[in-house]
Amino acid sequence: MADVLVVDDHPAIRMAVGILLQQDAHNVCGEVDNGVDAIHQFRCLQPQVVVLDIGIPKLDGIEVVKRIKWALLPKSASKS
């Protein structure tokens, strides 16, 4: 199925989400607890799906989404 990056600052939530995803045949390719690491791991792992908590340290989930979206834009679109 899908490669998934799980981002949450609570270890128990990351574990529970990971178990549920694996039960549904998804591959948890990474887990992180803050926004800065989320962006780094997104670039390195290139997951198909990111399960993202909004209230995380260093960069909140909204800012992470904005930066991931910016990273995914074609280069010509990002210059406008």
Side-chain angles (χ1 to χ4, degrees):
M1 293 281 215
D3 289 329
V4 182
L5 173 62
V6 179
V7 184
D8 196 294
D9 55 330
H10 296 94
I13 299 296
R14 289 195 311 270
M15 184 177 70
V17 169
I19 289 169
L20 291 172
L21 289 166
Q22 290 170 348
Q23 286 176 349
D24 203 28
H26 296 289
N27 174 45
V28 177
C29 62
E31 296 182 13
V32 295
D33 63 358
N34 67 75
V36 171
D37 290 345
I39 292 168
H40 176 74
Q41 288 299 306
F42 178 82
R43 288 180 178 147
C44 291
L45 300 172
Q46 299 181 347
Q48 296 163 310
V49 176
V50 178
V51 176
L52 178 64
D53 183 16
I54 298 299
I56 51 176
K58 297 187 181 176
L59 284 176
D60 67 39
I62 300 297
E63 186 63 27
V64 171
V65 169
K66 288 177 185 177
R67 293 185 187 198
I68 287 174
K69 182 179 174 183
W70 183 257
L72 293 174
L73 285 174
K75 297 300 178 199
S76 59
S78 63
K79 292 180 182 178
S80 321

